[in-house]
Amino acid sequence: MAELQFREAIRAAMTEEMERDEDIFLIGEEVAEYDGAYKVSQGMLDQFGPKRVIDTPISENGFAGLGIGAAMNGLRPIVEFMTFNFSFVAFDQLLNNVAKIRYMSGGQFSFPIVFRGPNGAAGQLAATHNTSVESFYAHIPGLKVVSPSTPEDGKGLLKAAIRDDDPVVFLESERMYGLKGEVSDEDDFILPLGKAHIVQEGDAVTIVANGKDYYIALEVADRLSEDGYQAEVIDPRTIRPMDFDTIIESIKKTNRCVVIDESNPFASISSEIAFQIQERAFDYLDAPVKRVTAKDVPAPYAKNLMDYYMPQADDAYEACRQVMYV
Amino acid sequence: MASNSQNPSTDAAKDDATTTAEEEGFNKPQNEEARPDPLDLPDTLELEETFKVYRGGTISHEELDFDTEKLLEMYRNMLLQRRFEERSLQMYRKQKISGFLHLYIGQEAVSTGSVQSINIGEDSVITAYRDHGIALAMGMDTNACMAELFGKKDGCSKGKGGSMHFFDREKRMFGGHGIVGQHIPVGVGIAFAHKYKQDGGVCLTFLGDGAVGQGALHEASNLAGLYDLPVVLVIENNQYAMGTAVHRAFADTDLCKQAVPYGMPASVVDGMDVFSVTKAMREHVEMARNNQPSLVEIRTYRYQGHSVSDPANYRTKDELEKKKSEDAIIRLKSYLIDNDLSSNDELDEIDEEVKQEVLDAIEFSDNSPLPDLEAIYDDVYVQEDYPFLA
């Protein structure tokens, strides 16, 4: 096992895959000469040269579309959005082109492409730079959406995403790039898409969380443990396709669930998880499913407001105690 | 790269190319010594641009190395597009075809002339939603195209795309795209992959005059110019974006000038003469083969409304009749007869053949089954166990 920063694990995944397959290239703003806006691609220009690590102007619609055309014509692009906040000027490329052309062509074309970059809140950046995008993209049939929580998951899932023949939206986090963790040094370590991770087993309550919220879930599980309750923590790892089977099996054991979700609450991933649980495990529930989400407002700038905006461990802890009626 | 050996055109293309991806990559050097100091300002900045014009009626078939057989094939091809669309309009009125139906009638010289400049199956083509003409010009199966309009299982997109979404992977027809302008970056990306793989291919990216108003053209043109990509951007200026005339949409109606900021050569072509289109497109494709992206504005005219529900009240009957008098098919017919290359009888016979081919396509489409309901989940993902939600 090696201890890597999250950014290093992402870089290792890209590097290993690019060494393996010459059709893979990395394109985006500041990925080459600048070594990556968040230093994820540091050193990759030196290793792979300017044919395969390519700087772009600030033209998300242009270079996302370029990547899609390149995938349609046989390459396997990795398109970096400096942050997913900027992906919406390219939204049509993801919604109408990469996700739908395969269908509209009767399956003649495939799109082995990864769109990756940081997602969600990153501090006091105000409303435009703090959007959690997962529900926007997970809504679209034709896309897969992955959101890793640890450096090891980041590496294993990104390698799977790059090898996948379908388009994958791969969501990282500015706040997590510096996070260190043990990463398997097993040769060609890969984690399959669409499989959830039961991080910790328990019988008192199921907590579903991923990305930054994963760490809130672990903190809450520790506090519950001190109170004498064992929470089961599930990290979905992949948002679409989501491994609902694992979540439902857990509900059948714990009979209660709290979902922590950094997105705005309306029509979010946590809404979908709650819906699936009521449909498939209604008779097993001893309490309504609870959600802990961002407040339903644009992200504010002031520090106290921003802290208040984000899902809080205290709120998640209280939500768990409420569904447990303790 | 291993993929090169599969394509015979690779080595020749590599020798011809002025720059290759392998030698220079796509990034401009960080510290170019020759880069002038941007604050070392001259007295004035001059802009001098000349655009080549390919006027109609100025080019002979000999100049293009077309023999009689080739000319008749082109005549037949233009006529096939015309008859196919006349019948599809009729079928629309009989409710055999639904949704949108944007007809290409009047613009056939653009498609037929353009395909004379490329190697079908090696080079690539992408276009917008008015796509029947180029599809047939590229030799896509007439039956499969009509069946697609009928929404049938044997359609070129299995009945999932309809009029706006014709595709043929084998012929490298990359669609048929419905959101105005958004396929242009995709076309530039197809060209990017040609350069990356060094397979010698180029991509013709067609767009309408309406797409010139989209920011996507700006972004895609800049990327094409920046990375020296083998692409020809072809504006099919049929003079109306839906009901909005070019002069009501653009501050400068010479759309070819859009190429200037991106370092691309550009020209203007009379799109009612298939010879002018051929000559222009060959010269532009040659530039693309040398990784010089460029832009062609082909001025043409659509006789029908924007779609079949449009009575085209925004233009006069006189204007339409004048344009019809410049019809590209009639022009080629007159050329063939005036130059003793063919006869009225022979050309009429071709017309009868084409009409029959279209009638056969209608019969084929009538007889083709509807797509299976179970097929609704096919082709969303490559991964086969969809729907993921059981």
Side-chain angles (χ1 to χ4, degrees):
Chain A
M1 298 288 267
E3 189 176 67
L4 296 182
Q5 285 187 347
F6 198 94
R7 62 163 63 80
E8 293 168 334
I10 296 296
R11 185 190 312 144
M14 290 195 288
T15 301
E16 286 179 21
E17 292 305 296
M18 285 176 69
E19 285 169 348
R20 191 184 55 75
D21 184 348
E22 285 199 24
D23 288 341
I24 303 169
F25 65 95
L26 173 66
I27 189 166
E29 293 153 4
E30 310 290 6
V31 298
E33 295 283 356
Y34 193 87
D35 267 340
Y38 295 100
K39 303 303 167 208
V40 174
S41 57
Q42 193 163 42
M44 288 180 66
L45 174 63
D46 287 342
Q47 183 177 350
F48 294 104
K51 180 187 172 188
R52 299 182 66 197
V53 180
I54 305 163
D55 280 326
T56 68
I58 301 172
S59 299
E60 285 85 3
N61 191 21
F63 68 75
L66 183 151
I68 291 165
M72 216 175 166
N73 193 7
L75 300 182
R76 305 184 75 90
I78 303 170
V79 176
E80 177 174 313
F81 289 123
M82 188 182 292
T83 89
F84 268 91
N85 296 290
F86 313 149
S87 71
F88 293 106
V89 296
F91 192 61
D92 186 73
Q93 295 296 340
L94 281 92
L95 171 69
N96 280 318
N97 286 346
V98 84
K100 293 181 184 169
I101 292 174
R102 176 174 177 75
Y103 197 71
M104 292 192 297
S105 69
Q108 293 184 68
F109 294 91
S110 56
F111 294 87
I113 184 171
V114 175
F115 297 93
R116 50 154 290 275
N119 169 50
Q124 288 178 263
L125 304 173
T128 58
H129 284 53
N130 273 318
T131 305
S132 287
V133 305
E134 46 270 63
S135 59
F136 292 91
Y137 292 115
H139 186 67
I140 303 170
L143 294 183
K144 295 179 178 177
V145 180
V146 178
S147 176
S149 308
T150 67
E152 179 165 277
D153 287 7
K155 183 180 178 190
L157 291 167
L158 182 55
K159 281 168 69 82
I162 292 169
R163 288 191 199 185
D164 203 282
D165 287 330
D166 289 310
V168 179
V169 170
F170 193 90
L171 305 172
E172 301 157 15
S173 163
E174 283 111 309
R175 283 295 178 85
M176 284 162 57
Y177 280 137
L179 197 79
K180 287 183 174 173
E182 295 291 325
V183 176
S184 168
D185 43 23
E186 181 188 316
D187 204 27
D188 217 11
F189 171 73
I190 284 198
L191 291 170
L193 304 188
K195 292 272 176 277
H197 178 209
I198 301 173
V199 183
Q200 126 173 6
E201 291 195 25
D203 54 15
V205 58
T206 300
I207 307 174
V208 180
N210 68 286
K212 292 196 282 297
D213 303 325
Y214 164 93
Y215 297 95
I216 297 178
L218 292 183
E219 182 188 332
V220 169
D222 277 351
R223 285 166 66 177
L224 291 171
S225 173
E226 285 165 18
D227 299 342
Y229 305 104
Q230 288 306 305
E232 180 143 303
V233 177
I234 296 181
D235 175 358
R237 283 182 171 158
T238 305
I239 305 287
R240 181 185 179 110
M242 187 169 281
D243 181 2
F244 287 117
D245 289 348
T246 295
I247 296 170
I248 299 298
E249 282 313 303
S250 178
I251 305 302
K252 288 179 179 174
K253 185 168 63 169
T254 64
N255 313 110
R256 45 204 103 221
C257 183
V258 171
V259 187
I260 312 175
D261 182 354
E262 196 191 294
S263 308
N264 294 120
F266 190 86
S268 65
I269 301 299
S270 54
S271 318
E272 181 65 27
I273 292 172
F275 165 78
Q276 292 287 334
I277 291 171
Q278 72 79 28
E279 186 176 65
R280 294 173 61 181
F282 184 79
D283 289 340
Y284 293 89
L285 285 175
D286 284 346
V289 176
K290 276 207 164 290
R291 297 188 292 167
V292 180
T293 69
K295 301 289 184 294
D296 201 11
V297 296
Y301 168 69
K303 181 162 191 329
N304 65 327
L305 291 179
M306 185 57 187
D307 288 345
Y308 184 55
Y309 167 85
M310 294 292 286
Q312 300 295 319
D314 284 348
D315 294 338
Y317 173 73
E318 281 310 316
C320 288
R321 293 192 63 100
Q322 280 175 29
V323 298
M324 289 157 58
Y325 302 111
V326 295
Chain B
M1 287 167 64
S3 58
N4 284 348
S5 60
Q6 294 164 5
N7 191 325
S9 65
T10 299
D11 290 340
K14 201 173 172 181
D15 291 340
D16 289 343
T18 50
T19 64
T20 65
E22 215 67 73
E23 286 162 10
E24 299 193 357
F26 294 97
N27 295 323
K28 293 280 184 284
Q30 179 84 312
N31 296 307
E32 207 174 347
E33 277 178 22
R35 188 171 57 172
D37 178 354
L39 280 175
D40 185 10
L41 288 165
D43 292 339
T44 56
L45 284 167
E46 308 295 336
L47 178 65
E48 229 180 88
E49 291 290 337
T50 306
F51 302 91
K52 193 165 177 180
V53 173
Y54 299 84
R55 294 177 56 218
T58 59
I59 296 150
S60 72
H61 71 287
E62 286 103 339
E63 205 179 318
L64 300 168
D65 286 327
F66 286 149
D67 58 17
T68 307
E69 191 184 346
K70 184 72 188 173
L71 291 171
L72 292 177
E73 178 196 311
M74 289 165 68
Y75 179 75
R76 186 186 196 285
N77 185 260
M78 288 164 72
L79 211 50
L80 174 65
Q81 296 171 53
R82 177 78 50 99
R83 300 294 178 231
F84 178 94
E85 293 212 310
E86 287 167 351
R87 280 289 179 192
S88 51
L89 179 58
Q90 195 183 28
M91 292 300 113
Y92 193 92
R93 289 182 175 142
K94 289 175 79 173
Q95 297 181 323
K96 299 263 187 188
I97 297 171
S98 302
F100 291 143
L101 187 71
H102 307 96
L103 298 178
Y104 194 70
I105 294 175
Q107 303 180 213
E108 296 91 342
V110 179
S111 51
T112 300
S114 293
V115 300
Q116 309 311 318
S117 69
I118 57 168
N119 302 314
I120 291 168
E122 293 174 21
D123 296 315
S124 305
V125 172
I126 187 167
T127 189
Y129 51 81
R130 201 177 300 281
D131 60 353
H132 312 158
I134 191 73
L136 292 169
M138 291 176 75
M140 277 179 66
D141 183 57
T142 311
N143 289 348
C145 289
M146 188 63 82
E148 189 59 35
L149 297 182
F150 276 52
K152 295 297 188 73
K153 192 177 183 174
D154 297 309
C156 57
S157 301
K158 296 189 199 163
K160 286 179 174 164
S163 166
M164 300 188 286
H165 309 111
F166 282 10
F167 292 85
D168 190 329
R169 188 189 169 86
E170 199 181 314
K171 297 207 182 299
R172 303 187 68 82
M173 161 56 171
F174 285 81
H177 294 270
I179 306 291
V180 173
Q182 298 306 316
H183 68 291
I184 306 169
V186 178
V188 165
I190 292 165
F192 173 93
H194 279 305
K195 182 172 177 180
Y196 189 101
K197 293 189 284 186
Q198 299 184 53
D199 63 12
V202 305
C203 182
L204 305 187
T205 300
F206 291 90
L207 53 135
D209 49 273
V212 173
Q214 287 284 21
L217 175 63
H218 162 65
E219 295 193 22
S221 300
N222 185 47
L223 293 173
L226 185 67
Y227 300 144
D228 304 320
L229 299 181
V231 65
V232 185
L233 299 170
V234 188
I235 301 173
E236 289 191 76
N237 178 0
N238 69 13
Q239 309 182 33
Y240 292 93
M242 205 166 157
T244 303
V246 167
H247 75 274
R248 296 182 57 233
F250 298 107
D252 187 332
T253 56
D254 288 327
L255 303 181
C256 59
K257 294 179 188 167
Q258 299 288 334
V260 173
Y262 314 107
M264 293 193 288
S267 62
V268 181
V269 185
D270 182 339
M272 305 310 275
D273 181 348
V274 71
F275 294 162
S276 305
V277 174
T278 301
K279 185 169 169 60
M281 289 302 292
R282 282 184 180 170
E283 290 180 7
H284 280 270
V285 164
E286 195 51 37
M287 294 177 209
R289 298 242 186 260
N290 291 299
N291 291 323
Q292 172 61 64
S294 67
L295 185 146
V296 191
E297 180 195 348
I298 303 184
R299 294 187 181 171
T300 178
Y301 202 80
R302 71 167 147 76
Y303 299 169
Q304 300 290 325
H306 163 71
S307 66
V308 295
S309 60
D310 169 21
N313 291 331
Y314 42 82
R315 62 186 178 191
T316 63
K317 274 212 166 80
D318 286 351
E319 176 184 303
L320 177 61
E321 290 313 313
K322 181 177 177 297
K323 293 296 176 186
K324 280 185 174 178
S325 73
E326 299 161 8
D327 186 77
I329 298 177
I330 295 173
R331 180 179 220 148
L332 182 57
K333 186 175 184 175
S334 306
Y335 184 92
L336 289 165
I337 291 169
D338 293 349
N339 289 284
D340 292 327
L341 297 164
S342 185
S343 64
N344 264 317
D345 285 349
E346 187 180 29
L347 297 179
D348 286 349
E349 201 174 306
I350 290 174
D351 198 3
E352 289 310 313
E353 270 174 39
V354 165
K355 283 176 176 164
Q356 191 56 49
E357 182 175 334
V358 174
L359 286 175
D360 290 347
I362 285 167
E363 194 186 344
F364 173 85
S365 305
D366 265 330
N367 293 333
S368 173
L370 293 166
D372 300 326
L373 287 184
E374 300 76 52
I376 196 165
Y377 289 110
D378 294 345
D379 310 319
V380 180
Y381 292 94
V382 175
Q383 184 178 326
E384 282 178 356
D385 60 348
Y386 194 67
F388 305 132
L389 298 174

